[in-house]
Amino acid sequence: MRAFDLSIFSKISIQSRLLLFPLPLILSLFFILYLLVTSQNETIHFSEKEQLGLGLIKPISSTYKEGLKRFKIGQESTRDLLPILEEIKKESAKTEIIEPNSIEMVNLDRYSKLEQFDQTTTLQFLNDLQELLLKVGDNSNLILDPEVDSYYQMEIVLFRIPAFYHNIANLKEMIRDEYLGSNSNSKAFSNASITKAIITINGIENTCKEINKAFKKSFEANQKYTQEIGDASHFAKVNCENYLKDLKNSITRSQNKPNNSDEFFTAIHKGTEIADLIQQKSLLLLEKMIRDRVELLLIKRNFNILLVIISLSISTVFVFLIFRSINKPLITVLTKLNELTSGEADLSKTLPDFGTNEIGKIAKSINLFLENLNQIMNQLKISVSESEKLSSQLKNDAISVSDNASSLASVSEESAASLEELTTSFEIMFEFIKNETKNIVNISEEMATIKASILNIESALLQLTNLASHSTQLANSGNLSIRNTDTTMTEIRSVTKEITGIVDLITEISERTNLLALNASIEAARAGDAGMGFAVVAEEISKLADKTQSSVKNIKRLIDKSHVVVNEGTNHVMEAVNALSEIVEQSNRMNYAVNHLKEEMTTQSNSLLSVTNELNGLEDMARTIEFSSREQKKASEDMVNSVNTLSGSAQELANNSEDLNQVSLKINEIATNIALIANIFHTH
């Protein structure tokens, strides 16, 4: 259930929750107001229904008073009674207290069809009116009235006055029996009539006492109407005493019965007027009490409504102030968070102090996060700046290595070409020496023709001298080129060591970048959802650092390979240098030998024996030169292969340096992108 509730509230914003927070209280106030107003409306309706009942009691009381006249001999006609009955029907239909089809109304309606009442009908009519009056009192809540002051007035109106009327009806019935019954010819009242009259007068006296007692209790229960209640009580007491005194004098103390009954009916009917006046005063008091009560209830209801409205207004103002005190800081925090997520945050500006409440604690946490993020961004900017510088230096070094490698490749190609030319020269010289060796052999075999061939030998020796000088020059040039190659190899080795140092520096930068990315990821994880964007940046930086580290490892591997190749090339160059030095020495010796041979050939013509000996030595020397030339040719071919290998290694080094240049450009581009991302955040 709790998770379900949270899932519902998670779809509602905090601002909406703040607005919904006082809703239960407001609904409770409205519900309480509804119950209170409903209860008071019911009470008001209760009292208003009493007022309607009082309005219907008045015509019923008038009808009761008029019905009592029907006992008087000669007034049995209903002509004066019918209009009052119609008024009861109209008032009943207007107030809707009595249903038109109720038994009381149906019984009352049948009397409107009669033209006159006899004694029995009159009694039944009065009884039906009494039932109707009690029904009205019951339906209009008068009998159920809980108020003490109005209850006693209701008792007078609904019970005491009808009882008064009932006793008057008994007296009138007794008089009517005396003048129309079996005792009509008697000059005095019968004992039964006198007894009945005494009992009835005693009932009237008791009713008057009850009326006085009700006025007294009503007077004690309510001090607001003391004047009216006192006047009504005094009126009832005085008139009841006078009326009882007259009744006793007229009936119980009279010895003879008058010839005409009008005197008795008039005396008895005074009680009807007195009861009617008492009832009217009680009705006025009761009506005033109920009217004042309704007004008081309306005032209380309106006051309660006003009080609830004021409470709601105060609560609304209080809720508005609370909402504003929470909403304004909340909007400020949300604006700062949106600024952070948009990538255009000013990390130098922090949130204001909102106090020690929850929002204040959140603001302090965000300010601490901004401070840490500001430091991280500053460190990142410094690292990016250093990365750009190192990337630029790496680029320049890569360009330098590429240029040196290209120069090395060019020199290697030139050396290879020179060695190929030297090899060609060695081949020519080898063929020449081989031919010379054959010639020397022929000279040895044909000593007879030596004189003829001396001139040719001198010419050949002259050419040989030139070729030897040329070979010596070529050997010296090759030796110089090889020595230059060795110097270049030394420089390549030095550059390779510098590149190795740069690669180590890049590796260290990559490790520091990876460490910074790890720290940034940790801080982003602490920041939660607000640091997700920065976590992505940190992850990209980590990936870039890993990629850079991998590229640096490849570069280092290539540099190590180049270093091995350069060492091998250096060894081969040293071998070529030694071989060329040997060739130079051999050329110098050959040149010396040729010069010596030339000198000997000059004296050859003087001594054949000496020539023969010299030719034998020359044959041996020629064979030695042939062997040396063959070895020099082989060494020259090996040197050409080594130089070609060195040229290929130099070209590979140039290609690797180009790759290194591309890597440095990529690192520079990545560092620029990181700088752009870091520069989005304004720091101090």
Side-chain angles (χ1 to χ4, degrees), residues 378-395:
N378 287 329
Q379 294 176 2
L380 184 61
K381 289 180 180 179
I382 294 172
S383 300
V384 168
S385 178
E386 293 178 357
S387 298
E388 289 178 345
K389 292 179 181 179
L390 294 175
S391 176
S392 177
Q393 183 178 355
L394 179 62
K395 178 181 177 183

Side-chain angles (χ1 to χ4, degrees), residues 68-278:
L68 286 173
K69 295 179 180 180
R70 305 282 79 79
F71 281 109
K72 187 177 181 181
I73 299 171
Q75 291 186 0
E76 291 85 359
S77 175
T78 60
R79 183 178 63 251
D80 297 332
L81 188 61
L82 293 178
I84 304 176
L85 292 176
E86 292 297 325
E87 185 178 353
I88 292 174
K89 293 179 182 178
K90 292 179 181 179
E91 190 67 24
S92 176
K94 179 181 178 181
T95 58
E96 297 181 352
I97 293 177
I98 302 295
E99 297 292 333
N101 56 353
S102 64
I103 298 175
E104 291 79 11
M105 294 302 296
V106 171
N107 292 334
L108 189 65
D109 186 59
R110 60 188 178 86
Y111 292 109
S112 61
K113 300 176 182 179
L114 301 176
E115 295 182 356
Q116 61 179 8
F117 287 170
D118 55 14
Q119 183 173 332
T120 304
T121 304
T122 302
L123 287 173
Q124 186 62 40
F125 176 72
L126 294 176
N127 288 330
D128 290 339
L129 282 177
Q130 179 68 21
E131 293 294 329
L132 179 62
L133 185 64
L134 293 175
K135 187 69 175 179
V136 170
D138 190 19
N139 291 350
S140 62
N141 304 321
L142 286 169
I143 297 177
L144 302 175
D145 195 333
E147 298 295 331
V148 177
D149 54 352
S150 58
Y151 175 80
Y152 290 112
Q153 298 301 318
M154 176 276 301
E155 181 184 3
I156 294 172
V157 171
L158 295 181
F159 295 101
R160 304 309 171 193
I161 298 300
F164 203 112
Y165 284 151
H166 181 72
N167 289 322
I168 291 173
N170 289 334
L171 287 176
K172 288 186 175 184
E173 183 184 10
M174 183 270 296
I175 297 297
R176 190 178 178 88
D177 289 338
E178 284 291 326
Y179 283 92
L180 295 178
S182 59
N183 199 30
S184 59
N185 296 323
S186 175
K187 298 295 183 178
F189 290 107
S190 63
N191 293 327
S193 296
I194 292 174
T195 302
K196 184 176 181 180
I198 292 172
I199 294 172
T200 303
I201 292 171
N202 189 44
I204 294 174
E205 187 177 4
N206 290 331
T207 301
C208 288
K209 289 180 181 180
E210 292 296 329
I211 290 173
N212 289 327
K213 187 185 296 183
F215 275 122
K216 184 178 180 181
K217 290 182 178 180
S218 182
F219 181 86
E220 293 173 353
N222 197 327
Q223 301 297 321
K224 184 178 181 181
Y225 309 102
T226 55
Q227 183 66 36
E228 293 88 343
I229 296 174
D231 294 340
S233 177
H234 179 71
F235 175 83
K237 183 178 181 181
V238 172
N239 284 278
C240 281
E241 289 177 354
N242 294 331
Y243 178 65
L244 289 170
K245 184 178 180 181
D246 292 341
L247 284 179
K248 291 177 180 179
N249 291 329
S250 299
I251 298 176
T252 61
R253 296 177 184 178
S254 177
Q255 297 294 328
N256 297 318
K257 184 172 61 174
N259 295 326
N260 194 345
S261 62
D262 291 340
E263 181 182 350
F264 287 104
F265 279 112
T266 301
I268 294 172
H269 196 68
K270 286 181 181 180
T272 305
E273 299 294 337
I274 293 172
D276 182 56
L277 291 174
I278 293 172

Side-chain angles (χ1 to χ4, degrees), residues 419 422-423 426 429 471-472 474-476 478-480 482-483 570-589 628-640 642-643:
L419 287 173
L422 181 62
T423 301
F426 281 152
M429 184 178 67
S471 297
T472 301
L474 290 175
N476 289 328
N479 191 14
L480 180 61
I482 292 301
R483 291 184 183 277
T570 302
N571 294 330
H572 289 300
V573 168
M574 291 301 298
E575 292 176 359
V577 168
N578 294 328
L580 285 174
S581 297
E582 184 67 25
I583 291 170
V584 169
E585 291 177 1
Q586 292 292 337
S587 297
N588 290 329
R589 287 196 296 270
S628 298
S629 297
R630 186 180 293 109
E631 293 297 328
Q632 288 178 357
K633 179 183 177 183
K634 183 178 179 182
S636 178
E637 290 176 352
D638 293 337
M639 188 180 294
V640 169
S642 298
V643 171

Side-chain angles (χ1 to χ4, degrees), residues 438-505:
K438 289 179 181 180
N439 290 330
I440 292 172
V441 172
N442 291 330
I443 289 172
S444 299
E445 293 177 352
E446 297 179 359
M447 290 296 295
T449 60
I450 192 171
K451 290 182 180 180
S453 59
I454 286 176
L455 296 175
N456 294 329
I457 291 172
E458 289 179 353
S459 177
L461 287 174
L462 181 62
Q463 292 178 1
L464 180 61
T465 300
N466 294 331
L467 289 173
S469 298
H470 185 65
S471 297
T472 301
Q473 293 177 358
L474 290 175
N476 289 328
S477 298
N479 191 14
L480 180 61
S481 297
I482 292 301
R483 291 184 183 277
N484 291 332
T485 302
D486 182 56
T487 303
T488 303
M489 288 295 183
T490 302
E491 293 178 355
I492 291 172
R493 188 183 294 108
S494 178
V495 170
T496 303
K497 290 182 179 179
E498 293 179 358
I499 293 173
T500 303
I502 293 170
V503 168
D504 293 337
L505 181 59

Side-chain angles (χ1 to χ4, degrees), residues 548-562:
T548 303
Q549 191 172 8
S550 177
S551 299
V552 167
K553 289 181 180 179
N554 293 330
I555 292 170
K556 188 173 182 181
R557 180 176 57 79
L558 293 174
I559 290 173
D560 293 338
K561 184 178 180 181
S562 174

Side-chain angles (χ1 to χ4, degrees), residues 653-676:
L653 180 61
N655 294 332
N656 292 334
S657 64
E658 184 65 27
D659 293 337
L660 181 61
N661 187 23
Q662 294 296 326
V663 170
S664 65
L665 291 175
K666 186 65 176 178
I667 292 174
N668 190 22
E669 180 181 355
I670 293 172
T672 303
N673 292 332
I674 295 174
L676 291 175

